Amino acid sequence: MRTKKVTFADIAAYTGFSKTTISRYFNDPDSLTLENQEKISNALVELDYQENKVGRILASGKTEFIGVIIPNLYMHYYSEMLNQILATYETYGYKFLVFAGSSKADVERKYIKELLAYNIEGMIILSGTIPSEELASYNVPVVGIEREDQHISSVNTDNYMGGVQAAGLLSKSNCDILIHVNADLPDTLPTYGRIRGFVDTCEEFHFPYELILTDLGNTFEENREKILELINLLEQKYPGKRKGIFMPNDTHANVFLNLLIQKYGSLPDTYQIIGFDNSPISKEAVIPISTVGQQISVIADEAMKVLSEQMNERKKRRPAPLREPVHKIIPPILIRRKTTI
Amino acid sequence: MRTKKVTFADIAAYTGFSKTTISRYFNDPDSLTLENQEKISNALVELDYQENKVGRILASGKTEFIGVIIPNLYMHYYSEMLNQILATYETYGYKFLVFAGSSKADVERKYIKELLAYNIEGMIILSGTIPSEELASYNVPVVGIEREDQHISSVNTDNYMGGVQAAGLLSKSNCDILIHVNADLPDTLPTYGRIRGFVDTCEEFHFPYELILTDLGNTFEENREKILELINLLEQKYPGKRKGIFMPNDTHANVFLNLLIQKYGSLPDTYQIIGFDNSPISKEAVIPISTVGQQISVIADEAMKVLSEQMNERKKRRPAPLREPVHKIIPPILIRRKTTI
DNA sequence: TTGTAAGCGTTATCAA
DNA sequence: TTGATAACGCTTACAA
């Protein structure tokens, strides 16, 4: 067993105060005389007191825990988002209990149950496995990021604007046709906005375009194969034409770029490429890739802001009735590199 | 306030049993008659009981929390390690309280203090900011990964073997000189083993080699600049010679590769390149990069194994006296791709 | 400004 | 097999 720990009772005995006074020293020190603060402060050192928050949680109900469920940490978007979420500890003081998703609903339900058992004060959910309606029913403040968010609050990149920016940039690059490749998404996902933004912009400017909605697979090998097929398709359908390609993310844009280079030895001037996210790969590619950048740190900060507002609301004596979910939109930033004009 | 929660007391009242019996239902169900198990089980459903672990922690001292301090999630090695650590939840059931490092010692000390305040049962430390001697003094089981580990247990890649493998592969590729680029590391770091492995192998086979120990910077832009200088240096010093280059990691290997391609339009046959880690970038590069792969999931699993042994030891009535730190070594896996023979 | 006493929701220890 | 009772370490009325 670990050596017995010093508790408020010990400090109280040592200083001659009551446990209450010791508690007050921590929570409202100004209610003690300076002299007594001094005394207790010394006792803490003498006895080598180590804070124990478990008792506090039990008594107060405040855990300062936030649960996070993230689909994976393999994709840079997620790991960087988690990074930024963790960084908010400095400003908000909340600790994060992190689970990496299994896209299986019952497994994620188990995670959530576990989180609730620890009295977390709120959740940040990046995984899309569990419908927002169910998440809302758990009766804990929830903020979703880049997932279906009908019944919960959320913070997302302005995907529509992203689509507009991408189409806008490509349209200036003297292309014959603009092509957006993406998965065949349900329109409840924020990401679907990119497709609409792209299409609306092309139509508005009467620019010829094509939407290729297809699954590019989940592993690098699958991506490679699918994108190889894609290139063949494009070359067959638009031989010699100048093609402006808007890929669903930087990883796929990079695969696309590399396959072209492997095929032709360099990037043919009949291709313009733009990705999405501004992941490191977009910068580190042989030819740095233009991209619609997501402001991950801004998203993380806003998510914590929305969440902490909701968590604070619940701490009040008469919490306002559950408000409508809040949906925040963060503008993307167009980053021009070498794969577009 | 959240709707009041159902507790053991409620279940006890509802079923006519004592709280103790309810507790037993959860911790040692077989000590109840099947019939009574049934009764309680039904009551749980009727009352919609939600587990509360805080009371349990307080009473038992077992939090099932493990603290993790990781330098960042920007580098793939770390994010993937965290990913694998989190995945052990399925087998071990421990929850992870994660902090992303600030390489400032006092900040990390604050993190540790906070972790200890929550009665974590153990720590996994990837950050090297705080000396292992201090970590050991906190009197909680600690496992270090890829950091100085004199006074704590650790799990690391067999870096020496990695150096041997890299030198071995390059030596077979008909090079005139073998070059290992790395930071000027203290020999207390596990990573230093790579340098020794590389040097020993070259010497053993009387292969001409050079060690370039220099800081390549912390940002992509710095890396680029430093590696550009490096290339100039090499071309000046070994013009026309076949050079086998062992880079400190895949990210740097990729920058090296891309700069050569940007300069020559393709990878000159006077260069052989091998990286370290087997990060995604090594696979996704224009020319897939050979690398010494770290078995991240194995490392994470072993770390949890070592840690859980030490944590279990502490739960016994008469814990064995603190054992000497355990140091586990995981072999790397040589991955041959297109940048070497 | 300080103290008393009653919790918070479990588990541990005895006893029956 | 079950129960009574006392912890666990802190907070929070209410009192002084």
Side-chain angles (χ1 to χ4, degrees), chain B residues 46-64:
Chain B
E46 316 264 292
L47 298 176
D48 186 28
Y49 172 72
Q50 308 292 342
E51 207 182 351
N52 180 333
K53 295 217 176 180
V54 180
R56 177 151 117 101
I57 293 173
L58 185 56
S60 71
K62 309 278 138 61
T63 55
E64 297 181 345

Side-chain angles (χ1 to χ4, degrees), chain B residues 140-238:
Chain B
V140 168
V142 183
V143 173
I145 296 178
E146 210 67 36
R147 53 152 291 143
E148 173 268 310
D149 58 1
Q150 247 187 303
H151 304 271
I152 57 175
S153 293
S154 66
V155 180
N156 290 299
T157 288
D158 188 340
N159 281 277
Y160 185 89
M161 167 83 77
V164 170
Q165 288 179 344
L169 178 59
L170 292 176
S171 73
K172 284 184 212 124
S173 56
N174 195 25
C175 287
D176 299 313
I177 177 133
L178 266 42
I179 294 156
H180 179 31
V181 183
N182 212 327
D184 195 356
L185 307 158
D187 61 2
T188 47
L189 285 185
T191 313
Y192 189 80
R194 289 181 212 169
I195 297 176
R196 288 191 293 105
F198 176 84
V199 168
D200 286 2
T201 306
C202 290
E203 303 228 315
E204 187 183 348
F205 295 104
H206 306 294
F207 220 102
Y209 72 95
E210 179 176 352
L211 226 45
I212 300 183
L213 300 182
T214 175
D215 182 15
L216 294 178
N218 292 312
T219 65
F220 175 70
E221 286 71 17
E222 281 175 23
N223 292 342
R224 216 186 112 90
E225 198 168 325
K226 299 282 185 178
I227 292 175
L228 206 49
E229 285 171 19
L230 181 69
I231 290 177
N232 290 333
L233 178 80
L234 292 176
E235 310 237 304
Q236 191 184 320
K237 202 157 173 189
Y238 305 106

Side-chain angles (χ1 to χ4, degrees), chain B residues 2 17 28 55 59-60 65 90 101-102 116 122 158 173 183-184 217 219 229 234 255 268 278 297 321 327 330 338 340:
Chain B
R2 49 192 68 186
F17 291 109
D28 184 15
S60 71
F65 281 153
E90 291 301 327
S102 82
L116 294 174
D158 188 340
S173 56
D184 195 356
T219 65
E229 285 171 19
L234 292 176
V255 173
N278 192 26
S297 72
H327 299 289
I330 310 301
K338 307 285 185 188
T340 56

Side-chain angles (χ1 to χ4, degrees), chain A residues 18 20-21 24 31-33 36 58-59:
Chain A
S18 68
T20 313
T21 302
R24 275 201 270 265
S31 70
L32 308 191
T33 62
N36 289 345
L58 186 56

Side-chain angles (χ1 to χ4, degrees), chain B residues 255-271:
Chain B
V255 173
F256 191 94
L257 171 68
N258 284 346
L259 285 172
L260 285 176
I261 291 182
Q262 282 161 21
K263 187 166 180 178
Y264 297 109
S266 66
L267 181 60
D269 62 1
T270 48
Y271 283 96

